[in-house]
Amino acid sequence: MPQEDEIIDLRSDTLTQPTREMKEAMMMASLGDDVFGEDPTVRQLEGKLAGIFGMEAGMFCPSGTMTNQIAIRLHTRPQTEVICHKNSHIYLYEGGGIMSNSHASVKLLEGDLGKLDAEAIRQAINPDDDHAPETALVSLENTMNKGGGSVYQLEEVRPIRQLCKETGLKLHLDGARIFNALIHSGERAHDWGRMFDTISICLSKGLGCPVGSVLLGSQAGIRQARKIRKALGGGMRQAGMLAAAGIYALDHHVSRLEEDHERARAIAAIMGKLPHVKATLPVSTNIVIARLDKISPESFLEKLAEKQIKAVKFGPDQIRMVTHLDIEDRHLEALEERLANWKMTL
Ligand SMILES: *Cc1c(COP(=O)(O)O)cnc(C)c1O
């Protein structure tokens, strides 16, 4: 049982601490200068992930924002346009980087649980005339953070791939939590690798690494991406210490994601019964979004904080909770106990 005052921190799966075994793997890593392409551990991580997805090459970066932004820069030119969901991470949470890094425009689409379909994308492609920015790229997100960790089925992506092929658009996947998606759907990474020009994958979320994301793509694409990374200041030297954590996580922290998904479902069940919670979004993976009624997220979060429970505001009437490596059954039991018979007084 967590102590009475132990904080149950459900704000994000980026909060995970590296395990002792992961730190040992980091200590033992063989190192070189990765800007010279000579860090054997970085190369091993890049090759391993590319192999898992059946893609040609990979590039290690400090963050998922950087892998996404490099992909966008790779696939666009100034004055072209990116199509994405209005709630996508690349648009909402990357500091306006599409504009400042790539000088590109954005077309935002609607779609249930943060997902796009081929027909909506087809309608959003600009005609070839002087007024409109040329559509260059479609970007999907799987799992979809603001969709409550929702998951695309491969069959939903196939027509989008087909459309992009017909119309000459590039297709990028923000796969920050792609392993959560694959664990949920049971689909094969190779089948996903075939669908996209580039895939960005975070190691620092549910996989439990302290730092790191990898961009996957073609040999030629990744070669160009390395030049963009250099210009953004993302070339790292003995980065093998960080890459070793990624290799460890791929070997040990993927199949356990199912536990995070089960605990997220349990949390949604607990949250769903609380006063002022109108509904929770359907839980597929490790994210729980609760929609509030007659209370602000700020006030609701304050009430939770009094019980030593942390979550984050996620829109004008929503809060988010995320499960991860460091949330165990004892935390769930404590959560349930602390919120039992909760009479919230405003
Ligand atoms: C976390 C996240 C990223 C990348 O974030 P960084 O903090 O820059 O690593 C990208 N997309 C989604 C959907 C995310 O959740």
Side-chain angles (χ1 to χ4, degrees), residues 112-115 141-153 156 177-186 256-269 280-289 321-323:
D112 286 349
L113 297 176
K115 298 201 283 178
E141 189 175 312
N142 194 25
T143 69
M144 177 67 190
N145 184 17
K146 271 220 137 179
S150 56
V151 176
Y152 277 96
Q153 303 294 312
E156 297 173 282
R177 297 186 182 82
I178 184 65
F179 283 105
N180 295 85
L182 294 175
I183 288 287
H184 172 78
S185 68
R256 63 153 306 285
L257 292 171
E258 181 52 38
E259 288 179 36
D260 296 345
H261 301 175
E262 275 170 32
R263 292 189 184 112
R265 285 193 288 274
I267 289 174
T280 54
L281 294 193
V283 175
S284 300
T285 53
N286 68 332
I287 296 176
V288 179
I289 293 180
M321 294 175 154
V322 188
T323 56

Side-chain angles (χ1 to χ4, degrees), residues 82-325:
V82 180
I83 293 176
C84 63
H85 193 279
K86 69 177 173 121
N87 289 335
S88 56
H89 193 281
I90 60 164
Y91 174 69
L92 286 182
Y93 300 127
E94 299 188 5
I98 300 175
M99 175 277 295
S100 62
N101 293 318
S102 298
H103 303 268
S105 169
V106 188
K107 187 165 286 178
L108 300 175
L109 303 187
E110 311 258 348
D112 286 349
L113 297 176
K115 298 201 283 178
L116 300 182
D117 69 77
E119 199 37 50
I121 295 169
R122 188 186 293 279
Q123 305 281 344
I125 297 172
N126 287 332
D128 179 13
D129 85 28
D130 286 355
H131 298 86
E134 180 188 332
T135 307
L137 172 65
V138 175
S139 182
L140 307 181
E141 189 175 312
N142 194 25
T143 69
M144 177 67 190
N145 184 17
K146 271 220 137 179
S150 56
V151 176
Y152 277 96
Q153 303 294 312
L154 197 62
E155 289 314 311
E156 297 173 282
V157 178
R158 224 181 276 281
I160 298 175
R161 166 80 276 177
Q162 185 58 30
L163 173 66
C164 289
K165 204 168 145 196
E166 279 166 23
T167 50
L169 303 183
K170 299 295 184 192
L171 185 57
H172 172 69
L173 178 64
D174 178 355
R177 297 186 182 82
I178 184 65
F179 283 105
N180 295 85
L182 294 175
I183 288 287
H184 172 78
S185 68
E187 289 170 349
R188 284 161 24 108
H190 260 239
D191 293 330
W192 277 77
R194 264 198 288 279
M195 293 287 149
F196 294 90
D197 294 289
T198 44
I199 301 182
S200 158
I201 300 169
C202 283
L203 301 163
S204 59
K205 302 272 165 79
L207 295 182
C209 296
V211 177
S213 288
V214 173
L215 183 68
L216 300 178
S218 66
Q219 286 287 2
I222 293 299
R223 205 179 132 63
Q224 192 59 32
R226 288 181 68 92
K227 293 177 194 273
I228 301 170
R229 183 183 68 175
K230 194 75 190 80
L232 293 175
M236 297 184 285
R237 303 296 178 174
Q238 284 72 37
M241 289 197 83
L242 301 172
I247 294 167
Y248 182 87
L250 291 173
D251 289 339
H252 297 95
H253 290 171
V254 173
S255 60
R256 63 153 306 285
L257 292 171
E258 181 52 38
E259 288 179 36
D260 296 345
H261 301 175
E262 275 170 32
R263 292 189 184 112
R265 285 193 288 274
I267 289 174
I270 295 168
M271 295 303 294
K273 289 187 214 133
L274 294 182
H276 297 291
V277 173
K278 190 155 57 178
T280 54
L281 294 193
V283 175
S284 300
T285 53
N286 68 332
I287 296 176
V288 179
I289 293 180
R291 188 157 292 156
L292 306 174
D293 190 28
K294 301 194 181 74
I295 190 169
S296 70
E298 288 83 0
S299 308
F300 193 87
L301 291 174
E302 238 169 68
K303 297 288 173 191
L304 287 179
E306 286 168 12
K307 303 270 183 190
Q308 309 296 335
I309 298 163
K310 287 189 178 182
V312 293
K313 177 177 170 174
F314 221 50
D317 61 348
Q318 294 186 152
I319 62 157
R320 186 191 74 170
M321 294 175 154
V322 188
T323 56
H324 52 72
L325 209 60

